[in-house]
Structures are given as structure tokens and as C-alpha cells.
Amino acid sequence: MDNILEETKFIMNKYHIRANKSLGQNFLISEDIVNTIVDSSEITKEDLVIEIGPGLGTLTKYLLEKASKVICIELDRKMIKILLDRFSGYNNFDLLNQDILQVNLKELIKYEKNDDSIKHVKVVANLPYYITTPIIMKLLEEEIELESITVMVQKEVANRLIAIPGDKETGAISYSVYYYAEAESIIEVPNSSFLPKPDVTSKVIKLKIRKEPPVNVEKKEILFRIIKCAFMQRRKTLLNALVNAKVFENKEKGEEILRKLNLNLTIRPENLSLQDYANITKLAFPSK
Ligand code: SAM
């Protein structure tokens, strides 16, 4: 079948599928967008691709042609039958009926990398939006050997994820993403590219995992905790937020640290660079 919309309707009819909203099921029906996702993920025959939430298999079909191996992780059992019917014939297809948040990706990848033909691991997905942040954080924080993450997410979330710290859209998570990856926006996607149409506009983004972090801190957990504390009270100045959160012992100590770093005492949390936060971490929690 040459038309993705027709193919999607045909499969949904054949298997009596109604999109499950609570699982974030909005199936892609735009061939252009599918091609853009596949092209921008730059898959080669040396790649293991992990696809999160393959659904009816729209992206999967293309990924299987390009990759050495594709492992799909799908929670909905109804999709499993469809995916097995469609792709069992491919010898580079594997499927896990699990919640992505419960999968031990580190172990999985370690095992797959025993196969010499696999040099890189890439994640590609049209994500279930209700768990975008936990999925992205899992992929980044577990420090699995990933090369890149190419995903469709809600536009507003995309903008926050890829904001360079200091940009207008900066949130606490922008610093985490920036620490682990170089992010780029690939394409904005209207809701008409999905069936059913989501209420929101979407965006495809690509995160290229850094080999080395852009800042040096002894304990990155402390750095991220400080950033989180700063953003919990976003309307306050950084100084007040960090005094309230007891990151700074008291106001005087906080002022002393900010002065040392040449930071304005009224600076807001979103106006600091990652390096600024790294410097604060070092001064507030010096290594013993
Ligand atoms: N890849 C398909 C496409 O582009 O048409 C479907 C994308 S749909 C936005 C998200 C998919 O993620 C659905 O198939 C849904 O069942 C699946 N999903 C939802 N929660 C999940 C979870 N916790 N773990 C794995 N898959 C999940």
C-alpha cells in the first residue's frame, strides 16, 4: 500500500483498533514526516535502532530497511500482534512487550553490542507524550551508550528541551539536556499529520549525545539538584530561591558566592549558563 493514511486505516479496521488516548496513541499518517524522521536519524547498517512505542509499525517499516537491527518496545498488547504479523519475516526485527520506563536498556544494549556488526545505538520514536520527560531523562541519565535520540514530542516541550540555557524557553530540564547532548530542532509538525489528531502541535528534535560533558563538576547530582531548586521558585531571584532551598547557608553566604562569580545579585534562575551553575556548585559544596 503506497499511502500511509490508507494503510493506517486499513490496519486499524482489520485489527479493530481504536486509538487509546491514555497511552498517547496518535499514529503518524504523513509520509513526508516519516521520511524526515528516518532521514534525520541518519541510520546505517552499523546501527542498532531502539524504537519506543512503534504502535502500528508505520516508522518501523522504514527503520527495518535501514538499520542492522531494530528493537521495538511497545506497551500495548494489541499492537504486539499487529507488529508480529507485519514484521516477523524480517531477521533484524525484535519486539519487547514492556513499559519503556521499566526496561533495563543498559543490559539490553550491552548484550546486543556483542554482535560485531553493531557499532552505534540510536533511539528513534514518535513518543507517547504523557511520559516524554521521564523517557528523555531515562535515556540521558542512565548513561547508556547512545549516539543519538531522534524523537517527536509536543512542540512546547521540544522548545524547552532544546533551549540553550539562557534562552527564553529555558527550564530546569534544558540544563540536563544540554549537559548530556547537543540538541537540534528538525521540523515542526502540524496535528493533521496524525490519526487521531492530537490537540497540540508537535516537533521532531534530535539529541546528539556528547562524548564529554561541557562542564566539569565532581558530582553532577548536586549540580542538577541546585538547578532544580533554583527553578522550583522560578519567580524569585536565584539568590532567594537558593537561600530558601538551603543551598546557600544564608543570604550573606549566597551574596558572597554570587559576587565572587560576578553574577548580579538579582539574576533570575533562567539567565544563568550551565557553567554558572557548575561554578555555584563548586563554591557552595567544595570538595573535602
Ligand atoms: N510509532 C507509532 C506512530 O508513529 O504512528 C505510534 C506512536 S504513538 C504517539 C505512541 C506509542 O507508544 C503507542 O503505540 C503507545 O501504545 C506506546 N506507548 C505508550 N506508553 C508506552 C510505554 N510506557 N512503553 C512503551 N510504549 C508505550
Side-chain angles (χ1 to χ4, degrees):
M1 223 168 285
D2 53 357
N3 179 313
I4 292 189
L5 174 59
E6 290 310 315
E7 189 175 48
T8 303
K9 284 184 178 166
F10 174 81
I11 296 172
M12 289 178 80
N13 261 329
K14 181 174 167 195
Y15 292 90
H16 310 292
I17 297 293
R18 291 174 107 229
N20 184 336
K21 262 196 165 181
S22 62
L23 287 179
Q25 290 180 352
N26 298 95
F27 304 115
L28 263 171
I29 51 166
S30 159
E31 183 130 20
D32 283 349
I33 299 299
V34 169
N35 283 329
T36 303
I37 294 174
V38 174
D39 290 348
S40 59
S41 43
E42 296 179 285
I43 299 161
T44 75
K45 280 288 168 194
E46 296 190 328
D47 293 335
L48 163 66
V49 170
I50 296 180
E51 189 191 0
I52 301 167
L56 307 169
T58 309
L59 265 171
T60 319
K61 190 169 99 177
Y62 293 79
L63 299 174
L64 283 165
E65 300 297 337
K66 299 252 178 185
S68 171
K69 180 163 184 180
V70 179
I71 300 181
C72 291
I73 302 170
E74 172 61 60
L75 182 61
D76 187 356
R77 280 187 55 194
K78 285 192 189 150
M79 300 296 148
I80 300 299
K81 167 144 182 49
I82 301 172
L83 293 162
L84 288 175
D85 284 355
R86 290 188 77 180
F87 306 123
S88 288
Y90 285 79
N91 61 9
N92 60 342
F93 171 70
D94 211 341
L95 179 59
L96 299 179
N97 183 197
Q98 281 188 54
D99 175 351
I100 177 64
L101 297 176
Q102 306 300 327
V103 176
N104 185 338
L105 286 172
K106 210 165 192 160
E107 282 296 309
L108 179 75
I109 290 170
K110 199 169 140 200
Y111 176 78
E112 293 295 334
K113 275 207 156 173
N114 287 331
D115 179 343
D116 285 343
S117 66
I118 288 174
K119 302 270 184 282
H120 311 286
V121 185
K122 293 171 181 164
V123 170
V124 181
N126 172 17
L127 287 180
Y129 292 176
Y130 73 104
I131 43 171
T132 300
T133 304
I135 293 176
I136 298 284
M137 290 321 294
K138 175 185 172 77
L139 296 174
L140 295 175
E141 282 179 342
E142 290 185 3
E143 296 190 1
I144 29 196
E145 281 180 59
L146 288 182
E147 170 120 338
S148 64
I149 302 168
T150 308
V151 282
M152 174 94 72
V153 299
Q154 183 180 335
K155 179 182 163 187
E156 288 71 22
V157 177
N159 291 344
R160 192 141 22 85
L161 291 171
I162 67 175
I164 306 276
D167 285 359
K168 200 171 88 230
E169 323 245 15
T170 305
I173 199 169
S174 317
Y175 292 88
S176 302
V177 174
Y178 186 80
Y179 180 89
Y180 290 108
E182 276 177 73
E184 68 178 296
S185 169
I186 303 291
I187 192 170
E188 188 167 310
V189 183
N191 67 353
S192 55
S193 299
F194 303 86
L195 185 75
K197 282 187 194 166
D199 296 331
V200 295
T201 303
S202 300
K203 212 174 211 185
V204 178
I205 57 170
K206 182 169 183 180
L207 310 180
K208 290 188 194 154
I209 306 301
R210 296 182 193 274
K211 303 258 183 287
E212 295 290 333
V215 297
N216 239 318
V217 284
E218 211 172 299
K219 286 211 171 113
K220 62 175 185 290
E221 294 74 20
I222 300 181
L223 167 69
F224 292 130
R225 180 151 292 257
I226 292 176
I227 294 172
K228 222 177 180 176
C229 288
F231 277 83
M232 279 204 297
Q233 309 186 26
R234 206 189 160 121
R235 283 160 176 229
K236 291 207 157 78
T237 60
L238 176 88
L239 179 62
N240 286 338
L242 293 189
V243 171
N244 287 349
K246 308 229 172 348
V247 169
F248 295 146
E249 269 167 54
N250 51 46
K251 200 155 185 172
E252 291 65 43
K253 186 80 189 149
E255 286 179 357
E256 187 190 316
I257 290 178
L258 295 192
R259 279 206 193 90
K260 244 188 211 162
L261 297 173
N262 279 329
L263 291 171
N264 196 310
L265 299 186
T266 57
I267 195 165
R268 305 253 153 207
E270 66 275 22
N271 293 126
L272 277 81
S273 67
L274 181 62
Q275 185 63 58
D276 292 330
Y277 278 110
N279 294 340
I280 290 176
T281 307
K282 279 180 205 161
L283 290 181
F285 297 91
S287 44
K288 305 228 162 79

